[in-house]
Amino acid sequence: MLEEIPLIFHLSGRKEKERDTIFLPTINRNTYTVTLKNAMSKSIVFHRHSTFVVDLSSIGFNETEFSNLSVQSRFIEGRRDTDKRQIHLLWQFSSEETSPGEEKELLTFGNLDLSNPPPSAQVEMAIAYEEIGVKSGPDLEGRYELQVYFENNPNESNQNLQESIVVDCSDSISTHQADKIIFTFRPGITPRRVRAMHTTSFVITLSYSYERPGAGVLMIPENAEQIRLSRKKGATQWDIVSHMGMKSPSWLLQPPFGKPILETGLDAVVEFEMENIYTEFTKDIATISVTYTDVPGYLDGSYPLSIEKV
């Protein structure tokens, strides 16, 4: 009995950030590649009896759309089962070895034209395989459920994220003593559950200066090194990475891949607490920026925030 997952599959598009994601609306010129990875500690071998069956029934093709798919593969397309929306691939060449950890393309499909995408933002693409040789072991057979996500095309729409997700911060901060700022993500006037991609990120940048009295800015850059940013309500799965550059320190926030950045209920909220903020600058209004990139269906942009130094 194998204790390890023998083969792992993923779907990729034009860029790495599109991994396991199909963007809507589908465009005929886009292609998607299914890649397998040998996750075993032994080499695997494709031989003349090795077969793969890629089940695309969950994607939502009608019969004509499935028949019109263009498929390229190093394997032979043995059969295209239109009723079941399955593509059968056969290895018909000399034996080929794949080392542990090595990745190889299984197939690439294009001419993707979905008139009726699945209602769910996440589906399972099943990939069955059998008679895959193993060095010093029995042949493999099994099934892998590849999680595929459907998202709106990033940066190909005019939607404004600030209408769906609002980001704000505390109204004021004390000068001449350590204080904190709460950053809050909450639903906007048109709430929407937006699922994060691998590269979806938000970056908090405070305002800095070395010149006194520091009108319109928050602090000198060196004071940022003492700041601690922590996860609060709704943010337990988010990643935080601090970048303490000399001129403009910042904090990168990344929501969990495939999960909604924010739910849409009345109590939906994601909060972060920034502690140990110290400034001796003049009492006035300082600026803070929260930029965002690679949010599916939205142009990259920023939230201009302000906070009063009191």
Side-chain angles (χ1 to χ4, degrees):
M1 184 71 178
L2 290 169
E3 296 181 354
E4 54 189 344
I5 298 175
L7 300 181
I8 295 174
F9 298 81
H10 69 260
L11 182 75
S12 59
R14 296 164 299 178
K15 302 176 183 177
E16 175 62 23
K17 70 182 182 182
E18 297 179 2
R19 177 170 286 204
D20 300 337
T21 304
I22 293 176
F23 288 105
L24 302 174
T26 53
I27 303 172
N28 287 343
R29 66 177 180 271
N30 285 359
T31 59
Y32 295 88
T33 299
V34 178
T35 301
L36 69 86
K37 177 180 180 180
N38 178 11
M40 300 185 65
S41 57
K42 302 177 181 179
S43 294
I44 61 172
V45 180
F46 301 143
H47 52 69
R48 287 186 178 273
H49 299 288
S50 300
T51 62
F52 290 86
V53 179
V54 181
D55 189 339
L56 300 175
S57 58
S58 64
I59 304 299
F61 296 109
N62 62 37
E63 184 173 321
T64 300
E65 292 166 349
F66 182 74
S67 298
N68 289 339
L69 275 181
S70 63
V71 176
Q72 295 180 332
S73 177
R74 299 167 58 249
F75 288 71
I76 299 296
E77 185 179 344
R79 179 163 60 94
R80 189 178 301 201
D81 190 330
T82 303
D83 291 337
K84 294 183 178 180
R85 310 293 194 267
Q86 294 177 344
I87 298 173
H88 294 245
L89 301 173
L90 311 174
W91 187 258
Q92 294 291 307
F93 311 101
S94 301
S95 297
E96 180 177 285
E97 185 172 323
T98 303
S99 303
E102 185 178 358
E103 294 189 357
K104 288 187 176 177
E105 292 184 0
L106 181 62
L107 84 160
T108 297
F109 58 91
N111 198 29
L112 183 63
D113 187 13
L114 282 175
S115 59
N116 187 29
S120 172
Q122 177 182 344
V123 299
E124 292 182 349
M125 179 191 297
I127 302 173
Y129 53 88
E130 61 182 21
E131 298 196 53
I132 310 299
V134 179
K135 287 284 188 178
S136 305
D139 282 1
L140 292 174
E141 64 175 67
R143 176 185 173 96
Y144 188 90
E145 300 287 349
L146 173 60
Q147 304 297 312
V148 176
Y149 300 87
F150 285 85
E151 295 291 359
N152 292 325
N153 269 302
N155 294 332
E156 293 182 10
S157 105
N158 292 321
Q159 295 189 68
N160 181 3
L161 181 62
Q162 298 176 38
E163 294 180 356
S164 298
I165 298 176
V166 172
V167 178
D168 54 28
C169 67
S170 305
D171 294 329
S172 62
I173 186 171
S174 300
T175 58
H176 297 86
Q177 67 181 56
D179 204 349
K180 64 183 179 180
I181 300 174
I182 301 295
F183 291 89
T184 305
F185 293 64
R186 55 182 175 80
I189 57 175
T190 56
R192 179 170 172 265
R193 297 174 79 246
V194 183
R195 294 179 184 271
M197 298 194 301
H198 286 289
T199 53
T200 298
S201 63
F202 297 80
V203 177
I204 299 174
T205 306
L206 307 179
S207 49
Y208 308 98
S209 177
Y210 286 105
E211 297 184 8
R212 297 181 182 275
V217 296
L218 193 57
M219 64 174 64
I220 61 173
E222 283 82 358
N223 284 357
E225 297 178 1
Q226 311 302 321
I227 292 175
R228 183 172 67 253
L229 183 65
S230 58
R231 305 170 187 85
K232 294 300 179 181
K233 184 176 180 181
T236 55
Q237 297 185 55
W238 286 54
D239 289 331
I240 300 175
V241 180
S242 59
H243 296 282
M244 294 293 106
M246 288 298 295
K247 293 184 177 180
S248 187
S250 62
W251 293 262
L252 182 144
L253 312 176
Q254 286 195 295
F257 168 65
K259 300 293 182 64
I261 297 172
L262 187 69
E263 296 292 349
T264 57
L266 294 176
D267 60 345
V269 66
V270 172
E271 287 185 344
F272 298 88
E273 184 177 77
M274 184 175 283
E275 298 178 277
N276 205 29
I277 302 171
Y278 183 83
T279 180
E280 294 181 346
F281 282 163
T282 186
K283 297 180 180 181
D284 66 356
I285 303 298
T287 60
I288 298 174
S289 173
V290 179
T291 60
Y292 52 89
T293 56
D294 292 338
V295 178
Y298 297 87
L299 296 170
D300 293 350
S302 65
Y303 295 88
L305 308 181
S306 61
I307 189 167
E308 184 178 6
K309 294 173 288 180
V310 296

